[in-house]
Amino acid sequence: MIKSAIYTARTHTTGGRTGTSATDDGRLSVTLDTPRAMGGNDGPGTNPEQLFAAGYSACFLGALKAVARGEQVQIPDEATIDAAVSFGEKADGPGFSLAVALDVTLPGIDHAQAVSLVEKAHRICPYSNATRGNIEVTLTVL
C-alpha cells in the first residue's frame, strides 16, 4: 500500500498476449506476440516478460542510484543491469509464475561496496517490494 500516488502510469491493452498495448500519453505503443516456446505465433512483437524485465531493471538501477547518492557514491554511467524474467509452471501447485535474475555491473566500484549497494537497492526498489515473497529474485553483482 502506498501513502499517496506520486505518479500513475496508464495503459490500454487489447488481445492479451497477441494484441497491442499503449499508454494514455502516447509515449509507448507496442505490438504483443507470444513466443513459440509458450505455444504462440512467435511474431515480431514484444511480450509481457520482456516488458517486465525492462521495467524492473530500469527501476532497480534508479533505486541503486538513489541509495548510492545517500552514501555519496557515484554510480558510473557505464553501470548496467541485465535482467532475465522466466515464465513457467508453479512448483507448488497449479498455475504459472515468474522468476527474475538481475545481473548488476558497477565498473570502478569495489565489489563488497557494490554488493552492499545492491542489497540496499533491493530493499527500496518498488519492483523488488512488489515481488518480495511472491517470486524468486536472484541478484548477482558481476
Coordinates of all heavy atoms in Angstrom, one line a residue, residues 16 22 24 36-37 65 68 74 82 97-98 105 109 129 133:
G16 N -4.7 -9.4 -25.3 CA -3.9 -10.2 -24.4 C -2.5 -10.4 -24.9 O -1.9 -9.4 -25.4
A22 N -0.9 0.3 -25.3 CA -0.4 1.7 -25.4 C -0.7 2.5 -24.2 O -1.7 2.2 -23.5 CB -1.1 2.3 -26.6
D24 N -1.6 6.0 -22.2 CA -2.6 7.1 -22.5 C -2.0 8.3 -23.0 O -2.6 9.2 -23.6 CB -3.5 7.3 -21.2 CG -2.7 7.9 -20.0 OD1 -1.5 7.8 -20.0 OD2 -3.3 8.4 -19.1
R36 N 7.1 -18.7 -29.4 CA 6.8 -20.1 -29.8 C 6.9 -21.0 -28.6 O 6.2 -22.0 -28.5 CB 7.8 -20.5 -30.9 CG 7.5 -21.9 -31.4 CD 8.2 -22.2 -32.8 NE 7.4 -21.6 -33.8 CZ 7.8 -20.6 -34.6 NH1 9.0 -20.1 -34.5 NH2 7.0 -20.1 -35.6
A37 N 7.9 -20.8 -27.7 CA 8.1 -21.7 -26.6 C 6.9 -21.8 -25.7 O 6.7 -22.7 -24.9 CB 9.4 -21.3 -25.8
K65 N 20.9 4.0 -7.8 CA 21.4 5.4 -7.8 C 21.0 6.2 -6.6 O 21.7 7.0 -6.0 CB 21.0 6.1 -9.1 CG 21.8 5.6 -10.3 CD 21.3 6.3 -11.6 CE 22.1 5.7 -12.8 NZ 21.7 6.4 -14.0
A68 N 23.0 5.0 -3.6 CA 24.4 5.5 -3.8 C 24.5 7.0 -3.4 O 25.4 7.4 -2.8 CB 24.9 5.2 -5.2
Q74 N 29.2 7.6 -6.4 CA 28.8 7.9 -7.8 C 28.7 6.6 -8.6 O 29.6 5.9 -8.7 CB 29.9 8.9 -8.5 CG 29.5 9.2 -9.9 CD 28.3 10.1 -10.1 OE1 28.0 10.9 -9.3 NE2 27.5 9.8 -11.1
D82 N 21.5 -6.5 -16.4 CA 20.9 -7.4 -17.4 C 19.9 -8.2 -16.6 O 20.2 -8.9 -15.6 CB 22.0 -8.4 -17.9 CG 23.0 -7.6 -18.8 OD1 22.6 -6.8 -19.6 OD2 24.2 -7.9 -18.6
S97 N 4.1 -18.9 -12.8 CA 4.8 -18.0 -12.0 C 6.0 -17.4 -12.8 O 6.3 -17.9 -13.9 CB 5.3 -18.6 -10.7 OG 5.8 -17.6 -9.9
L98 N 6.6 -16.4 -12.3 CA 7.8 -15.8 -12.8 C 9.0 -16.0 -11.9 O 8.9 -16.2 -10.7 CB 7.6 -14.3 -13.1 CG 6.5 -13.9 -13.9 CD1 6.3 -12.4 -13.9 CD2 6.7 -14.4 -15.3
T105 N 26.3 -4.8 -13.0 CA 27.7 -4.4 -13.3 C 27.9 -3.0 -12.9 O 27.3 -2.1 -13.5 CB 28.0 -4.7 -14.8 OG1 27.7 -6.0 -15.1 CG2 29.5 -4.4 -15.1
I109 N 33.6 0.3 -9.0 CA 33.2 0.3 -7.6 C 33.6 -1.1 -7.0 O 33.4 -2.1 -7.6 CB 31.6 0.4 -7.5 CG1 31.2 1.8 -8.0 CG2 31.2 0.2 -6.0 CD1 29.8 2.1 -7.9
N129 N 10.0 -4.7 -4.0 CA 9.0 -4.8 -2.9 C 7.7 -5.4 -3.4 O 7.0 -6.2 -2.6 CB 8.6 -3.3 -2.4 CG 9.8 -2.8 -1.6 OD1 10.5 -3.6 -0.9 ND2 10.0 -1.5 -1.6
G133 N 8.7 -12.2 -1.7 CA 7.8 -13.2 -1.2 C 6.8 -13.9 -2.2 O 6.1 -14.8 -1.8

